[in-house]
Amino acid sequence: MKQIRLAIDVGGTFTDVFIFDENTGQISVMKTSSTPSNPERGILDGIEKAQLKGENIKMFSHGTTVGTNALIERKLPKTALVTTKGFRDVPEIRRGTKLDLWDAYEDTAKPYIKRRDRFEVNERIDYNGNVMIDIEEKEVRELARKLKRRGTESIAVCFINAYVNGENELKVKEILQDELPDVYICISSEVLPEIFEHERMSTTIINAVLGPIISKYIYTLEGEMEKKGYKDDILVLHSGGGVMTSSTVPRFAARVASSGIAAGAIASKHIAKLCGFNHAIGLDMGGTSTDISLMYDGDIRITKDWYIEYGYPIGFPSIEILTIGAGGGSLAWKDDGGSLRNGPQSAGATPGPACYQGGGEDPTNSDANLVLGRLGVNLLDGKMQLDKGKAVEAVEKIAKEFNYSTVEAANAIIEVANANMCDALRLISVRRGYDPREFALVAFGGAGPLHGAYLAKDMGIPTVIVPPHPGVAAAMGCLLVDVRHDISKTYVKDFKDVNLEELEFELLKMEREAKDLLEEEGVAKENSTLMSFIDMRYSGQWRSLAIPINLKAQSLEDALEAFHLEHEREFAFSDRKQSVEIYGLRLTALGTVPKPEFPKHIPSGSLEDALKEIREVYFDDKFMATKVFDRERIPVFSEIQGPAIVDQLDSTTVIPPEFTAFVDEYRNLIITLNK
């Protein structure tokens, strides 16, 4: 009988496995090593470690770093770009900007397709979509034969103004497919039919370079899962916070470029809502980096301004996640100006922090937390032993540099790490017009609960939530998402000139496309939801805001008022006398996937039974005798007064002296600052 819901998050170091048994309500978690050279192997190892049979798995959903790693490492198939004559160098020209505008020595990453692999054809479509120069079939077939001789594995086709009329692109695609049937081909009018040639071309190129990689990965994983007896769809998390089935993932490969980090944001949203919070900031702190997301009024912030490498944007909607180099393995160091720094350099999995005994010698956050007593010497239920002596040796390097004691140096390392994370929290909240005091902080990942209370205190955030399984929360997030597709279209018109019938006609066309995609995914009509948005901006502006609209229930005037209000909140400015224009249309199609209902627990045992030990932990400039609890044995509805440490398989939670933690019926730790 199928009763297992399986979620797996494939990270760079570990593959996290989250198992929910529908019959018993039991949750099982585990970690296994990732295998970057053979990514599906880590997934299969996790399933074997859990002793799962394919015929018992009801749903399998996962997030993967396959696309992210391929772009960063540049292990890409031989890909060609076919574009309009005169536009061969758009990937190099970009927007002419740099991540650090004033750093003359920092170069933007090179294009994913070299210039010698970018080809021009004679075609032209004007801004209204009229074909001025048609495709010449002979020219395209000659190009196809040249690409075949070069061993081309993938082709991106992006013509100027194809967003308004993709006729010429489609003709080229058909000719190339006829000549090169085994080559992956994608065209910009199908991938991202939006204005601005650089963003559209960049997205199409990334879709092309990832297409063969993602296709091979998915087909291999499907074959291996079939051998294990699992014959249903494999769901893959994408950047927009939804999932796609394995049949559609290869077509929209660029959407999984940030598959892994989106899962944590989904988990954060679910956990916060479960605890009764509609505003929450997610803090996913792992070994190398920290991913921060924001939920307001129950919705996670979405952006279209994102990339894996600066200069090469991906135009698909993505959960807005701010990533900084702050993790358990982040290195502490002294800069040329004599200041203490923390990250973004990391000890990584190899050699790892000094205390891991893997050959690392430089001080990290994990070493500092061990010196302060906040981390114990036994991790993973005693399966991993930390060497406190090596941690002390590493931290003493910083102590000597600044004439500190070892403990002062360790405390300084943690304070700098916390300051870095607070800066990032301000960027995603205060800088966006949100007051952190109205939010809860969901702290998870292997290292998030170590730092959560201190960050909340510095930011004025009143509540910290630590989920029952913080180290694998991102994997859990993979079980909590729906099938999702985002469709967009450029539609530029002054608001006062908009023809309502014409607007409805365009939205209906997009609805038909969305319904076809959901039907292809196997989503039943009763489980389908369509949400329409119009992108609006003040005339002459560059940036636009997506405003939800239901033309059957509201007028365009309602949307206009909603735009002014949202502009005021986002940018602290609005002007109802200023002319407004519609810039684009968007439609989100959701196919509801049944979610697991996590069980509520009843009190069992006592808090005293959960006490493991009392150890000396550094708080407020001194060591204090601190109770250390085994989280698995803490009864629900318990209240823990700080200072305290809560240990578990996948993480450690620090409750400072001025804080109190409450365990709710779902086993979430809710930590608040004493008044």
Side-chain angles (χ1 to χ4, degrees), residues 70 86 160 166 176 187 217 230 320-321 324 449 465 520 600 615:
I160 301 309
L176 291 175
I187 60 178
Y217 165 73
Y230 180 79
E320 184 175 28
I321 295 173
I324 64 169
I465 304 169
E520 185 180 331
K600 296 179 180 180
R615 72 168 178 252

Side-chain angles (χ1 to χ4, degrees), residues 148-291:
K148 186 175 183 179
R149 289 194 299 271
R150 290 184 172 213
T152 302
E153 301 169 74
S154 183
I155 302 171
V157 182
C158 184
F159 292 156
I160 301 309
N161 295 331
Y163 70 92
V164 69
N165 182 356
E167 181 182 330
N168 278 355
E169 282 192 346
L170 190 58
K171 287 180 181 178
V172 168
K173 180 180 179 180
E174 290 171 349
I175 296 169
L176 291 175
Q177 282 181 330
D178 183 50
E179 293 283 342
L180 306 166
D182 297 326
V183 173
Y184 180 94
I185 303 170
C186 61
I187 60 178
S188 73
S189 52
E190 292 178 348
V191 173
L192 189 75
E194 294 186 21
I195 199 171
F196 297 127
E197 66 275 9
H198 171 51
E199 287 74 9
R200 179 162 47 91
M201 186 178 287
S202 174
T203 304
T204 307
I205 286 172
I206 291 171
N207 203 71
V209 298
L210 291 183
I213 296 170
I214 299 298
S215 299
K216 180 183 177 183
Y217 165 73
I218 285 295
Y219 297 148
T220 301
L221 185 58
E222 278 184 325
E224 293 295 331
M225 290 301 295
E226 283 185 12
K227 291 177 185 177
K228 289 184 173 293
Y230 180 79
K231 294 180 169 54
D232 292 318
D233 282 324
I234 294 175
L235 302 179
V236 183
L237 192 72
H238 64 66
S239 61
V243 288
M244 295 184 288
T245 61
S246 49
S247 60
T248 57
V249 168
R251 285 169 49 195
F252 302 102
R255 295 216 71 171
V256 300
S258 67
S259 168
I261 60 176
I266 297 295
S268 172
K269 172 183 176 179
H270 174 81
I271 293 160
K273 284 191 168 184
L274 205 62
C275 295
F277 293 91
N278 248 8
H279 308 330
I281 298 173
L283 179 89
D284 182 0
M285 184 178 181
T288 304
S289 62
T290 296
D291 300 320

Side-chain angles (χ1 to χ4, degrees), residues 560-613:
L560 181 62
E561 178 61 20
F563 166 74
H564 289 306
L565 293 173
E566 179 63 11
H567 203 280
E568 177 72 34
R569 189 207 58 75
E570 180 81 9
F571 303 111
F573 166 79
S574 65
D575 183 359
R576 285 170 172 75
K577 296 179 181 179
Q578 174 73 25
S579 62
V580 176
E581 66 180 8
I582 295 178
Y583 166 68
L585 309 179
R586 303 193 183 282
L587 188 139
T588 296
L590 294 178
T592 305
V593 174
K595 313 293 188 303
E597 292 188 15
F598 298 121
K600 296 179 180 180
H601 299 269
I602 58 175
S604 176
S606 67
L607 189 58
E608 289 73 24
D609 294 335
L611 183 63
K612 291 174 62 176
E613 62 173 327

